Amino acid sequence: MTDMPGFGTGGSPVIGNRRQMIELAKEIERRGFPLISTPSSCDCVAMSQSMLEATRSVTVMAAVQPIYHRVAVSLAETGAHLHELSEGRFRLGIGVSHDLSNRIYHVQPGQPLEDCRAYVAQMRAAVEWTGPQAPIVMAALRNRMFDLAVEIADGVFMSRACRRYLAHQVARVPAERREQGFFVGNSIPVVIDDDPQVAFDVMRHSQAFYLGLANYRNYWRAVGYVEEMDAIEAALSKGERDRIPALVSEEWLRNITLFGTPATVREGIEAYFAMGIMPVISPVLREASANAHYESVFALYN
């Protein structure tokens, strides 16, 4: 059987649709997908708990809980609780998030690398009263955070990572860490349409929000997309957000996302597996129904 990707639920609107997301988790499990990631746009740990309670076999990953929003020991306790009751089906994703999210919580981030190291150390130190803890998966894009995840965590989870650069990063994971089960995943937006031009147009408009986030732009600049990020920052400085979709190339979009016909998307998913990465595909919202945009992905594995 062809390897099946993880399934990201970040494309669904959360407010007013929490019960529908739980039903969706049941359907994802029934379809045989091995992993569900819950979005950081809601309380991803609470959503993970509800999905774990509604399912029996699928792994559920909180992707991701910002470290500045919860005390480390408290999160370790919650993670241990879900780890025990789910019999090991929970993965706890953590990360520094981005400025917009931290402003909503009225928190001031510090030094990301130092803060992540200290946070994980505090979680690990709590094991004597939490009991066995959930595997910790650290969000990362650039190499220094990626290497820190390899050093102190049980896995690394990327989002919209550049496909042409990923083989270089996967090679940074020592063989013994992979043998120990170190997890490497990447969240990938997906649009499937029999008309490749339609898929392209939907996808490039859908990524405008992320291009507005400085941490993503800094990463994409670091992997070679300097001129495009310069153009986007110039547009942002003038308040011209509506110009952003037109400023990205098809080449950039193909390295960051998956879009096109079912065959094209399947080929892309298989390419991630070939690199040793678990692709976690997140269908882009296209219809009014919260679940309708998942049907094309389900159809890939009928």
Side-chain angles (χ1 to χ4, degrees):
M1 180 179 178
T2 301
D3 288 330
M4 294 181 69
F7 213 110
T9 57
S12 283
V14 175
I15 298 173
N17 289 286
R18 291 177 175 90
R19 292 185 185 276
Q20 289 89 334
M21 290 181 71
I22 304 309
E23 292 303 311
L24 176 63
K26 295 178 184 178
E27 182 64 12
I28 292 170
E29 178 180 57
R30 189 186 73 80
R31 298 273 184 161
F33 291 89
L35 179 144
I36 302 171
S37 71
T38 59
S40 57
S41 57
C42 64
D43 185 333
C44 60
V45 177
M47 181 60 72
S48 294
Q49 178 170 357
S50 296
M51 288 185 175
L52 287 165
E53 291 172 348
T55 57
R56 294 292 177 267
S57 61
V58 67
T59 296
V60 178
M61 178 171 66
V64 296
Q65 172 61 49
I67 63 171
Y68 299 114
H69 302 181
R70 287 193 64 170
V71 175
V73 174
S74 172
L75 185 59
E77 288 182 317
T78 302
H81 174 87
L82 298 182
H83 177 68
E84 178 179 336
L85 294 185
S86 70
E87 298 181 327
R89 292 192 292 123
F90 177 59
R91 287 179 178 161
L92 178 52
I94 63 169
V96 296
S97 193
H98 49 79
D99 288 343
L100 175 60
S101 174
N102 290 324
R103 286 201 303 271
I104 291 171
Y105 276 78
H106 303 285
V107 293
Q108 181 63 46
Q111 298 298 317
L113 290 165
E114 295 175 12
D115 292 350
C116 282
R117 182 183 291 279
Y119 196 93
V120 171
Q122 292 172 34
M123 293 180 71
R124 303 287 198 203
V127 68
E128 63 178 285
W129 60 85
T130 66
Q133 296 178 353
I136 297 172
V137 178
M138 280 179 50
L141 280 173
R142 288 186 283 180
N143 286 341
R144 292 176 67 192
M145 189 66 79
F146 188 98
D147 291 345
L148 181 63
V150 173
E151 178 187 348
I152 68 174
D154 303 299
V156 61
F157 190 57
M158 297 169 282
S159 176
R160 295 166 174 81
C162 179
R163 193 179 348 179
R164 72 181 185 187
Y165 189 70
L166 279 172
H168 161 78
Q169 288 188 293
V170 172
R172 302 173 79 89
V173 183
E176 62 268 24
R177 294 291 279 133
R178 296 306 295 260
E179 291 169 4
Q180 294 164 0
F182 187 83
F183 172 82
V184 180
N186 182 36
S187 176
I188 312 155
V190 171
V191 173
I192 299 172
D193 199 288
D194 290 332
D195 185 334
Q197 185 62 46
V198 170
F200 170 70
D201 288 339
V202 171
M203 184 60 84
R204 69 190 179 103
H205 282 88
S206 74
Q207 298 311 298
F209 171 78
Y210 296 93
L211 285 159
L213 299 175
N215 58 326
Y216 277 103
R217 291 197 307 276
N218 290 339
Y219 163 73
W220 291 321
R221 179 187 299 277
V223 296
Y225 294 101
V226 177
E227 291 183 6
E228 285 171 273
M229 296 307 114
D230 283 346
I232 288 164
E233 288 175 2
L236 290 170
S237 70
K238 298 175 183 177
E240 298 173 346
R241 284 184 170 269
D242 58 332
R243 291 183 56 225
I244 290 177
L247 296 175
V248 296
S249 66
E250 182 172 343
E251 194 270 345
W252 174 83
L253 207 61
R254 289 198 182 280
N255 268 289
I256 306 304
T257 70
L258 287 172
F259 61 92
T261 66
T264 298
V265 171
R266 276 290 293 269
E267 181 181 345
I269 291 170
E270 290 163 8
Y272 282 101
F273 277 117
M275 285 189 285
I277 296 167
M278 165 63 82
V280 180
I281 54 177
S282 296
V284 170
L285 180 62
R286 300 176 63 186
E287 294 86 6
S289 166
N291 294 341
H293 56 306
Y294 292 122
E295 293 301 325
S296 59
V297 174
F298 289 153
L300 289 176
Y301 297 95
N302 278 347

